[in-house]
Amino acid sequence: MRSDKMKQGIEKAPHRSLFYAIGYHPKQMERPVIGIANSANELIPGHMGLDTLVKAVKDGIHMAGGTPMEFSTIGICDGIAMNHEGMKYSLGSRELICDTVEVMAKAYPFDGIVLVPNCDKIIPGMMMAAMRLNIPAIVVSGGPMLTGRFKGKKVDLISVFEGVGKVAAGTMTEEELCALEKCACPGAGSCAGMFTANSMNCLTEALGIGLPGNGTIPAVHSARIRLAKEAGHMILDLVRRDIRPRDIMTADAFRNAIAVDMAFGGSSNTALHLPAIAHEGGIKLPLSVFDEISEKVPHICNMSPAGPHHLEDLFEAGGVYGIIKELGKRNLINKKCITVTGRKVGDILKDANVADHEVIHRIDAPYHEKGGLAVLTGSLAPQGSIVKRIGVSESLWCFKGKAKVFESEEEAGKAIMEGKIQAGDAVIIRYEGPKGGPGMREMLTPTSILAGRGLDTVCALITDGRFSGGTRGLCIGHVSPEAAEGGPIAFVKNGDIIEIDLVKKTMHLRVDKKELAKRRKAWKCPEPKIKEGYMARYAKLVTSAATGAVFKE
C-alpha cells in the first residue's frame, strides 16, 4: 500500500506516534488510508451539506475496511465574487485547489482519495488534482439547489441578476426585487440551473469519475447521503483493483463528456475546465474537438438559463445517464469506457431510463440539431472564441453592428445601466482575459442587465473574459489571443463594424488591413491591474483561454 510509506516499519514509529496523538487506533494503521478532500466553508450555499456528506463518505470507507483522513481546501462562490475585484481570483483559485490536493496527497501518501467539492472552480480544481496524482479517486459533489418560487413561477439566481436590469429598465420595482432575492435561492446546493458548477458535476458522470446521480441528485435529498456512502465503499474497491483516474478519464471519456455537454447545453466554462483536466493527464483537448462534436450531437435537454428546466427536473427525468442513453442510440457515446463503478458505460446504460421526454427529448426530436456550444474564429478571434449557441435568439445568428468599446467590466456595466447601449451595438469588453484581467472574470452582471433591459435579442457582447453558465444572448467569450497579449480585440475602436455568423461560425472585425497594422504598431499593453500577490504571479504563468488557461510548462 502507498500509505505504508508513512505508517509501516520500525523507522515509522515516530509517524505512528503522531497518528496515535490524533486518536487513530493501531488497527486503523493496518488498513488502506483514504484521503478526503473537503472544500466546505461557511461562505458558499453549495457547501452547506458537505460536512454531512463527508461523514457519509467516512461511514462507507469504514464499512469497506479503510481508514478515512479528512483535510480541507479553499473555495469561492462565483455569485458572491461577481462584479467586483473578487472575481479576478475565482479562476486562479482552480490552480490553488489542485495544488492543495496534490501537496496533501504527496505529504500523506494516501492509498486512494475521495474529492468532495461543490461550486464553480472547486470541482474542476479537484478533478485536475485527481488526474495529476493518478491514485484511485472518486468525486462526490454537494449536489444542486432546488429552484425557488416567485409569483407562482420557478426562479433561480439568474432571475435575481436579470431583475437588476429590469429595475433599471423600469419593468420591476425595487420592492419586487427585494422579495425575489429572498426566495430565488431556497437553500443548500449549487445554483439550480445548468450553470458552471452543475455542468461540471454532471460531467463527472460522463467522464466516469463520479457515480451515476452525482450531477443531479438534489443537495437536500437523502439519496445524496446514500450516494456518498456508496462512494466511500467504492473507493476501497478502486484501491484493491488499482483503477486510477487516467484509466477512467481517457481521451474517449473526454469525447463522451463533450458529447453530453453539447446535449444538455452546458456552461461555456466547460471549454476551459475539460482541457485543463485533460492537460493534467497529458491529453490534448483543443477547441476544435468541441466544435467537431458539437456539429454531430443534437441538443436534447433545454436547461436554465436557455430553457425552462432545472437540475431537479433532469434528476426526475432520468439524469445524466438518461441523456447518455439517448445519445447512444446514434452511437455518439463510447460505451466501452470504464467508470469508478468498475463497470463500463454500456453496462450502466442497461439500467438507465428516460422517465420524462419533455425534459430529455428523444434524439430524433431534439430542441436543436446541433450542440449547445459553438467555436467561432475569424479576424477578431484567430485562436477561437466560445458562444453558447442555444441561448442565442435565431434573429441574432447573423449579426452586424458597431463596436462600443470598454476597458473593463465595470465600465460596460455602468454604461448598460445608464441606458447608453442601443439595439445593434456590439459591446466589446477587453483586458479581462486570463492575463489581462487577471483571472478572466465572468461577465454575468453586464449580460444579465442587458437581458433585464430587453437588449439580449438585439445586441452582441464580446469579451476576452468569460461568461457565467447563467448567461444567455449573443455573448461571445474566451476571445483569443486576448487583448493583453496583443490580440485583435485590443485594436478595436468605437464605431468599427463587427460581423458575427453563427451558421458559418465566424467573427470578423471589418477594418482595413493597413489601418489595423497602424493600430497594432501604436499599441502598448496597459500596466498590470494587480501588481503583487498571487494573481500577479498567476498573470505571468497563465496561458490562453484557448488552451484552458493552464499554466505554462
Side-chain angles (χ1 to χ4, degrees), residues 171-215:
T171 58
M172 176 181 274
T173 67
E174 289 189 31
E175 290 74 20
E176 287 175 316
L177 179 61
C178 183
L180 173 61
E181 71 184 57
K182 291 174 181 175
C183 65
C185 299
S190 47
C191 298
M194 192 59 83
F195 315 140
T196 303
N198 287 328
S199 295
M200 291 307 301
N201 276 335
C202 287
L203 295 184
T204 64
E205 295 187 49
L207 276 169
I209 199 69
L211 291 171
N214 187 54

Side-chain angles (χ1 to χ4, degrees), residues 138 204-213 230 234 237-238 241 243-244 247-249 253 256 321 324-325 333-353:
I138 189 168
T204 64
E205 295 187 49
L207 276 169
I209 199 69
L211 291 171
E230 180 65 20
M234 190 63 66
D237 187 59
L238 294 174
R241 297 172 64 180
I243 297 175
R244 308 184 191 192
D247 300 324
I248 295 169
M249 292 190 284
N256 281 354
Y321 269 89
I324 294 174
K325 187 142 193 168
I333 291 290
N334 187 319
K335 299 177 183 178
K336 295 181 180 179
C337 292
I338 195 169
T339 72
V340 287
T341 65
R343 303 165 68 197
K344 294 179 180 179
V345 171
D347 296 326
I348 298 174
L349 285 178
K350 294 174 183 176
D351 302 323
N353 289 292

Side-chain angles (χ1 to χ4, degrees), residues 140-151:
V140 183
S141 81
M145 187 184 291
L146 297 176
T147 55
R149 295 290 189 279
F150 181 69
K151 294 185 175 181

Side-chain angles (χ1 to χ4, degrees), residues 257-274:
I258 295 171
V260 172
D261 187 15
M262 298 306 155
F264 64 47
S267 166
S268 57
N269 286 310
T270 58
L272 278 178
H273 300 322
L274 289 177

Side-chain angles (χ1 to χ4, degrees), residues 263-333:
F264 64 47
S267 166
S268 57
N269 286 310
T270 58
L272 278 178
H273 300 322
L274 289 177
I277 297 163
H279 174 76
E280 294 293 342
I283 298 170
K284 293 188 182 298
L285 204 63
L287 288 180
S288 58
V289 176
F290 286 79
D291 202 44
E292 171 205 334
I293 294 174
S294 185
E295 290 298 300
K296 298 176 183 177
V297 176
H299 174 224
I300 61 173
C301 188
N302 205 15
M303 307 290 289
S304 173
H309 303 300
H310 293 79
L311 268 293
E312 61 199 69
D313 303 314
L314 178 56
F315 169 62
E316 293 169 3
V320 173
Y321 269 89
I323 295 172
I324 294 174
K325 187 142 193 168
E326 285 297 318
L327 296 182
K329 292 177 180 178
R330 283 193 190 171
N331 295 318
L332 294 169
I333 291 290

Side-chain angles (χ1 to χ4, degrees), residues 30-63:
E30 297 171 4
R31 299 172 179 174
V33 174
I34 306 299
I36 303 176
N38 181 6
S39 64
N41 63 38
E42 296 181 350
L43 299 164
I44 305 176
H47 290 199
M48 288 170 64
L50 292 194
D51 287 338
T52 299
L53 289 182
V54 166
K55 182 181 180 301
V57 170
K58 290 178 181 178
D59 288 343
I61 292 170
H62 285 307
M63 285 189 292

Side-chain angles (χ1 to χ4, degrees), residues 10 30 70 89 175 190 215 219 329 440 445 447 455 475 479 519:
I10 295 175
E30 297 171 4
E70 178 187 351
Y89 289 79
E175 290 74 20
S190 47
K329 292 177 180 178
M440 203 180 180
T445 296
T447 60
L455 294 169
C475 300
V479 173
R519 294 181 190 181

